[in-house]
Amino acid sequence: MRGGDVFTLPDFPWDRLAPYKERALSHPDGIVDLSVGTPVDPTPEPVRAALAGAADAPGYPATYGTPRLRESVAGWLRRRAGVSGADPDAVLPVIGTKELVALLPTLLGAGPGDKIVFPELAYPTYDVGTRLAGAVPVRTDGLLSLGPVTPRIVWVNSPSNPTGKVLPAEHLRKVVAWARGRGAIVVSDECYLEFGWDEERPPVSILHPDVCDGSHEGLLAINSLSKRSNMAGYRAGFITGDLGLVKRLLEVRKHAGMIVPAPVQAAMTVAFDDDAHVDEQRARYARRRADLRAAFEKHGFRVDHSEASLYLWATRDEPCWDTVAHLASLGVLVGPGEFYGPGGARHIRIAFTATDDRVAAAVGRL
């Protein structure tokens, strides 16, 4: 409780899909579940070997992570994200990034009366984390519309979940300048950073010098190995950016015992050192994306945005639940756009994280 009131949280949205899942399951060839972006391909063998090799872990691991892990993450940021100023001391491993997203406003000291800004169409946990802190959620894609309001935190998500939209560097520069002028913290959720599909609009980190002029002051970036390395079951991610903010988070997490297990830290180190397995996974997703996009467009859908991430943001210009019902009758389960905000009421989110066999089944049914 906060201030004597019980937290009020929305119902878990995916529970509302249950009857449509039952309908899809009744298809003679079984369900094709494209509703949740859960990786289905194998975790890379070197990662599994590292986990097993570190299984003898009788002592407590470091909340800060091993120096080797932090250098591995910083090296990845420099090599793959162009973050030339990546500092290993500013890397903090976390127990999956959903946990971090949900708790970050609280960990950063947000509370009643503080405003937390996030996109109009957004991952639901931004809203949940705001409510857990007792703060005020504000959905907007235009910071100027806030007028004189000074938010405590501004969330950025590019590439976007659910739309796959990419914010160009110039847009992100304006967000950073606006927030710095008001003393607000910008937190960028970048877990799809390596899954851009449009060469003319590549995803860019909030920490890239083209965005922040080489200063990470007031900025935090979050990334995860769930999508990048098929490690969702490992619950492995990190936060980095402003060294002062990261040290504040470290102190709170040390007190709370929020520690990534030692074998998982070893696996993370190997995963961030290796790019080859990511390139292989990108090729798999590119094939599945192309096949599903062609099939849905032939079936009468329009695909909007979707230049990055692991989703197609599609519509038949009808209420999203009607579309969900139609596809469930074909044995295909998708996510209603309404889950991500009122602006998604006429769209669906299609994940292309199913196996090749299930993707082929969906294509055939469409």
Side-chain angles (χ1 to χ4, degrees):
M1 295 188 294
R2 186 184 295 276
D5 295 325
V6 176
F7 291 126
T8 56
L9 295 176
D11 293 334
F12 190 64
W14 278 267
D15 290 344
R16 294 171 59 195
L17 266 182
Y20 301 94
K21 184 174 183 178
E22 288 298 318
R23 186 184 305 180
L25 282 165
S26 68
H27 190 279
D29 184 39
I31 188 173
V32 177
D33 192 344
L34 308 179
S35 65
V36 181
T38 299
V40 296
D41 299 302
T43 303
E45 178 56 38
V47 171
R48 288 183 274 165
L51 182 81
D56 184 13
Y60 290 109
T63 307
Y64 202 5
T66 66
R68 180 71 186 82
L69 168 58
R70 288 185 278 113
E71 178 52 52
S72 177
V73 173
W76 172 80
L77 285 164
R78 299 183 202 112
R79 187 176 70 250
R80 299 283 275 197
V83 182
S84 54
D87 180 0
D89 288 343
V91 172
L92 179 61
V94 297
I95 313 160
T97 50
K98 182 169 184 177
E99 165 262 320
L100 182 68
V101 169
L103 293 178
L104 193 59
T106 299
L107 296 177
L108 289 173
D114 289 328
K115 292 181 171 58
I116 311 292
V117 174
F118 50 86
E120 291 181 14
L121 288 167
Y123 185 46
T125 312
Y126 305 139
D127 179 52
V128 168
T130 302
R131 293 170 187 255
L132 286 173
V136 180
V138 179
R139 287 184 183 270
T140 184
D141 290 332
L143 293 176
L144 294 179
S145 68
L146 296 175
V149 169
T150 298
R152 187 67 175 268
I153 297 169
V154 176
W155 279 101
V156 174
N157 179 212
S158 175
S160 164
N161 176 13
T163 68
K165 183 177 180 180
V166 170
L167 299 177
E170 185 55 38
H171 179 102
L172 292 172
R173 281 180 65 87
K174 292 176 181 177
V175 172
V176 169
W178 187 93
R180 283 176 170 168
R182 290 159 178 79
I185 298 169
V186 179
V187 186
S188 181
D189 183 349
E190 301 177 355
C191 70
Y192 300 101
L193 195 65
E194 290 194 275
F195 295 103
W197 310 110
D198 184 345
E199 293 183 359
E200 295 182 2
R201 300 195 71 179
V204 60
S205 172
I206 201 84
L207 304 179
H208 193 285
D210 288 350
V211 174
C212 65
D213 292 326
S215 168
H216 297 171
E217 180 184 358
L219 308 179
L220 292 169
I222 296 172
N223 216 306
S224 165
L225 286 166
S226 294
K227 317 296 187 183
R228 177 189 184 274
S229 301
N230 297 331
M231 291 173 62
Y234 285 59
R235 311 312 304 130
F238 71 87
I239 187 166
T240 190
D242 185 316
L243 181 59
L245 292 175
V246 170
K247 289 294 182 70
R248 280 173 52 189
L249 293 172
L250 172 61
E251 288 305 309
V252 175
R253 295 177 76 83
K254 283 164 64 175
H255 281 294
M258 303 168 81
I259 310 172
V260 175
V264 174
Q265 292 191 33
M268 291 174 69
T269 303
V270 170
F272 277 118
D273 277 347
D274 178 53
D275 299 329
H277 75 273
V278 184
D279 294 335
E280 292 173 6
Q281 189 61 45
R282 273 182 53 84
R284 294 187 192 106
Y285 284 142
R287 291 193 301 270
R288 294 167 186 166
R289 176 182 183 273
D291 290 347
L292 284 171
R293 179 165 192 157
F296 273 94
E297 288 179 337
K298 188 175 181 181
H299 198 73
F301 283 83
R302 184 183 75 247
V303 175
D304 294 331
H305 303 303
S306 307
E307 58 262 26
S309 83
L310 302 182
Y311 312 106
L312 297 174
W313 185 241
T315 181
R316 295 203 306 176
D317 290 318
E318 66 183 2
C320 62
W321 287 103
D322 291 351
T323 310
V324 170
H326 165 69
L327 291 170
S329 70
L330 301 178
V332 178
L333 190 67
V334 297
E338 184 181 271
F339 283 1
Y340 305 94
R346 299 179 75 83
H347 280 75
I348 57 167
R349 193 194 74 168
I350 304 159
F352 42 89
T353 54
T355 63
D356 291 343
D357 173 71
R358 290 290 82 192
V359 167
V363 168
R365 295 174 197 182
L366 291 166

